[in-house]
Amino acid sequence: MRITVLAGGVGGARFLLGMRERLAQAGGGHELTAVVNTGDDAWVAGLRITPDLDSIMYALAGVNDTARGWGREGETERVSAELTAWGVGWPWFTLGDLDLGAHIARTSWLREGLPLSTAVERLTARWPLGARLLPATDDEVETWVRVDDPAESGRTIHFQEWWVRYRSSLAALGFEHRGQAEARPAPGVLNAIADADVVVLAPSNPVVSIGTIIDIPGIRDALRATSAPVIGVSPIIGGAVVRGMADACLSAIGVATAADAVALHYGARASGGLLDGWLIDEVDAALVPGIESGGIATRAVPLWMRDPATSSALADDVLSLAEAVRG
Ligand code: GDP
Ligand code: CA
């Protein structure tokens, strides 16, 4: 079976761990591909950083810091302290020493003229990940946020500054995905969607993770055209985000922080949208009829990915719903 998952960082990584586990239980011969958001990418201290790709790579490699929730396990920050002393980089954005190794390797390949997708292939070759990671695009697409700053309303800052420095305390007035209109899907992305048996929208941020991927010209059309069922998993449980600040992103685009609102935002494939199926949490079961009346087959299942068992059970629910939609 070929499974293609559109994914952001942490929510995407947790889901991919579960799907890898679920496919391993089913025996070999499966292909798991992640099409990963690049909207969080940035140039920092002369280095190209790709946070969502790295979160997924480290998680699948088992070298991530599970306590902190991001970055490498056993990380140190000696180089970062030196950079801060010189006033280089963003003082509020930690570049761990081990992490810097990946950033330097990536940037050196990019400087040689290689595309990001090749840099990702080389970085990920180091570990048996059990999944192929594809950046959504090789082109530089960066999310910038127009913020309601009392000092200067409407000024625009990089997504990382809004997310990490301000913890989204400045209200977002809107998002710009710079470079997106001219971007093309990375090699392999459109085929991974077209040739899949199941396509999944991971429980990732609908605006700045999944939204950034599907708005790259060509990707939405590929999702609409694939013969595979497209199944989404809600990142919203009981009207709240599980982790992170997706609510601040949703309100900026006028979508309620609710499992049904996000489903209707993606829309039913039968009526011009993207979804054939949608999974919501059991606490939201009352929303099932409303979402189904919008043309999206919906099931209420446990959506909290607490550990490998709950994550792989969720992956199993995705595959069951895909089967039901197909039949
Ligand atoms: P980021 O790039 O690191 O912000 O991560 P993603 O965009 O992949 O995922 C962020 C989203 O994942 C948030 O909106 C969370 O609500 C959601 N999320 C995190 N953990 C879980 C979980 O266990 N279950 C579900 N359903 N969603 C989760
Ligand atoms: Ca992200």
Side-chain angles (χ1 to χ4, degrees):
M1 204 166 22
R2 282 165 301 195
I3 315 283
T4 296
V5 181
L6 275 56
V10 173
R14 278 171 193 266
F15 181 78
L16 285 161
L17 283 168
M19 185 58 82
R20 181 179 70 178
E21 171 78 14
R22 167 63 182 74
L23 294 177
Q25 286 163 7
H30 302 292
E31 262 177 50
L32 179 57
T33 301
V35 175
V36 183
N37 173 44
T38 56
D40 299 12
D41 297 6
W43 286 100
V44 186
L47 301 169
R48 190 67 178 162
I49 61 155
T50 60
D52 286 359
L53 282 159
D54 290 357
S55 292
I56 292 179
M57 174 171 75
Y58 295 151
L60 290 174
V63 299
N64 57 318
D65 186 329
T66 49
R68 194 169 53 165
W70 52 276
R72 289 281 300 263
E73 188 183 19
E75 187 60 286
T76 49
E77 289 164 17
R78 298 190 65 197
V79 177
S80 219
E82 290 296 290
L83 292 174
T84 302
W86 281 311
V88 170
W90 290 328
W92 39 265
F93 193 85
T94 311
L95 295 165
D97 296 333
L98 297 173
D99 214 10
L100 274 164
H103 303 330
I104 293 168
R106 176 186 312 108
T107 307
S108 76
W109 290 321
L110 294 176
R111 289 265 181 243
E112 286 170 26
L114 295 168
L116 177 61
S117 50
T118 302
V120 170
E121 201 180 318
R122 291 186 177 186
L123 287 169
T124 55
R126 183 166 166 196
W127 298 281
L129 299 187
R132 180 169 62 126
L133 267 53
L134 300 175
T137 178
D138 277 337
D139 300 311
E140 284 184 18
V141 174
E142 291 186 359
T143 302
W144 286 66
V145 191
R146 204 153 44 79
V147 291
D148 190 13
D149 186 344
E152 186 195 341
S153 187
R155 95 184 157 96
T156 322
I157 57 178
H158 192 283
F159 173 75
Q160 293 296 349
E161 185 170 4
W162 182 64
W163 193 258
V164 179
R165 181 179 187 182
Y166 293 107
R167 308 297 304 160
S168 75
S169 62
L170 294 174
L173 301 171
F175 297 95
E176 285 171 26
H177 302 291
R178 293 191 182 166
Q180 191 174 56
E182 308 80 42
R184 284 165 305 150
V189 168
L190 296 181
N191 284 341
I193 294 169
D195 300 342
D197 296 303
V198 180
V199 175
V200 187
L201 306 189
S204 290
N205 189 311
V207 185
V208 296
S209 292
I210 303 294
T212 319
I213 300 172
I214 60 189
D215 285 341
I216 289 166
I219 294 190
R220 182 183 298 273
D221 290 344
L223 289 166
R224 299 220 4 94
T226 182
S227 58
V230 178
I231 309 294
V233 181
S234 175
I236 308 298
I237 299 179
V241 293
V242 180
R243 297 176 189 87
M245 301 167 281
D247 45 345
C249 301
L250 286 166
S251 55
I253 64 159
V255 175
T257 302
D260 54 347
V262 174
L264 300 175
H265 166 67
Y266 287 141
R269 205 143 67 122
S271 52
L274 300 174
L275 294 174
D276 299 308
W278 184 243
L279 291 181
I280 63 175
D281 192 78
E282 290 165 319
V283 300
D284 292 315
L287 302 176
V288 171
I291 305 170
E292 292 214 308
S293 71
I296 302 166
T298 306
R299 303 278 182 281
V301 301
L303 283 199
W304 277 88
M305 299 179 286
R306 292 193 169 84
D307 49 37
T310 49
S311 303
S312 81
L314 176 57
D316 189 60
D317 288 326
V318 166
L319 298 183
S320 302
L321 181 54
E323 222 27 74
V325 164
R326 209 193 321 263

